[in-house]
Amino acid sequence: MNHFLKLSDLSADEIYRLLDIAADLKYKQKNGIPHRYLEGKSVALIFQKASTRTRTSFEIGAFQLGGYGAFLNTSDMQISRGEPVQDTARVLSRYFDLIMIRTFEQSYVEDLAKYGSVPVINGLTDYCHPTQVLADLLTIREYKGSLEGLKLCYIGDGNNMANSYIVGALKTGMRMTAVCPEGYRPHPYVLEFAKAYGDRFELCDDPLKGAVGADVICTDVWTSMGQEDETEKRKKAFKGYQVNDEIMSVANSGAIVQHCLPAHREEEITAKVFEEHANEIFDEAENRLHAHKAIMVALAGNYDK
Ligand code: CP
Ligand code: NVA
């Protein structure tokens, strides 16, 4: 693994290895066991969109590993004045050991990796959110013991989260149902990817059918960052695509809920279901820290397990 740009670049073994490293780092952190696998290394944390979890977990994660995370807002960088990605990539590669970026275009992240000479981590694009789904897989495995054979049902917008859930779930041996309304389906590349998994993947537009027998129910906001002017149109399109008691009643008993946050109560999820599953959702948020540490360590650290 040279970069962490999208889950489809990784083999199942590579994903499982990251999960194992994350679990080990979590154990070490909880038990006060030193794990400074990034001693003296630095990571550039570039943000072109807002963030609470991704920014802070990478910063704190780098610190706990003995390294340093430098927060860079693109509005303060020459990127915002048109400096080309080729030059930004080559300059930052001379200062940092790793680059993490949150931006709009997946192609920008891929270009950063292409023109730079250090590993690049995708901290969210319009296309995918792989660091988040790695944390979700870690959380699901903690709650359910293993991933193999579980059914994950995602309800809502066929956005970056849906795209990464489909790839992450199928690669790790889960069954996956994406419930998305017409016009808001997952990316065609991802639907093409899923074809190879036959009936382990299902796309439907009826939340109550899709959720039947699910072990994990996932959702995300109806309006992602950068789509704010579509908010009203989206509220209409996604009416009925809500994780609520009815959905939970057809899922398997003991089904867990995952939400990457921030959540919009009474839109994609009711306040009641959110609070009933708050432990799982905040464990998921915590696991961003452990998953991100694992990614940084695997790409640039001296971890040899
Ligand atoms: N889930 C997630 O990526 O959160 P932030 O936008 O706060 O980083
Ligand atoms: N789909 C959401 C995820 C936020 C973490 C967005 O892109 O805004």
Side-chain angles (χ1 to χ4, degrees), residues 74-268:
T74 53
S75 61
D76 299 327
M77 296 175 74
Q78 298 290 7
I79 289 174
S80 67
R81 299 179 60 253
E83 183 163 22
V85 63
Q86 292 90 330
D87 299 355
T88 304
R90 286 180 288 184
V91 171
L92 294 182
S93 294
R94 289 174 184 238
Y95 303 150
F96 292 95
D97 301 287
L98 279 166
I99 301 172
M100 194 246 46
I101 179 160
R102 166 170 288 194
T103 188
F104 293 90
E105 297 284 329
Q106 179 70 17
S107 61
Y108 194 93
V109 179
E110 306 268 349
D111 283 347
L112 208 49
K114 180 173 164 193
Y115 295 109
S117 53
V118 298
V120 173
I121 301 167
N122 178 352
L124 179 148
T125 59
D126 291 345
Y127 177 63
C128 62
H129 196 3
T131 62
Q132 175 71 56
V133 167
L134 189 72
D136 289 41
L137 294 173
L138 182 64
T139 315
I140 298 164
R141 193 171 73 164
E142 286 173 355
Y143 274 88
K144 297 290 176 190
S146 71
L147 300 174
E148 200 82 24
L150 295 177
K151 174 175 171 176
L152 188 154
C153 172
Y154 172 88
I155 298 173
D157 188 16
N159 60 13
N160 42 15
M161 282 302 299
N163 291 334
S164 286
Y165 273 131
I166 293 169
V167 178
L170 293 175
K171 284 222 174 208
T172 54
M174 300 170 84
R175 290 180 293 135
M176 168 83 210
T177 300
V179 186
C180 309
E182 184 80 50
Y184 296 93
R185 298 266 156 87
H187 196 284
Y189 291 166
V190 174
L191 296 179
E192 189 58 35
F193 166 92
K195 274 189 190 160
Y197 293 84
D199 60 8
R200 270 175 54 204
F201 176 71
E202 184 195 13
L203 179 64
C204 77
D205 56 14
D206 182 342
L208 270 180
K209 275 193 193 150
V212 171
D215 301 290
V216 188
I217 299 285
C218 303
T219 189
D220 184 20
V221 291
W222 292 342
T223 300
S224 285
M225 291 181 278
Q227 301 172 333
E228 287 77 7
D229 55 357
E230 297 174 21
T231 302
E232 290 313 313
K233 183 179 132 200
R234 285 172 166 272
K235 275 187 187 166
K236 289 195 190 95
F238 291 108
K239 202 170 178 296
Y241 289 78
Q242 183 189 61
V243 175
N244 52 30
D245 280 343
E246 214 185 348
I247 294 292
M248 296 313 295
S249 74
V250 300
N252 275 347
S253 73
I256 66 165
V257 173
Q258 296 283 268
H259 191 310
C260 63
L261 304 174
H264 291 75
R265 289 162 176 79
E266 308 311 331
E267 290 188 14
E268 75 274 4

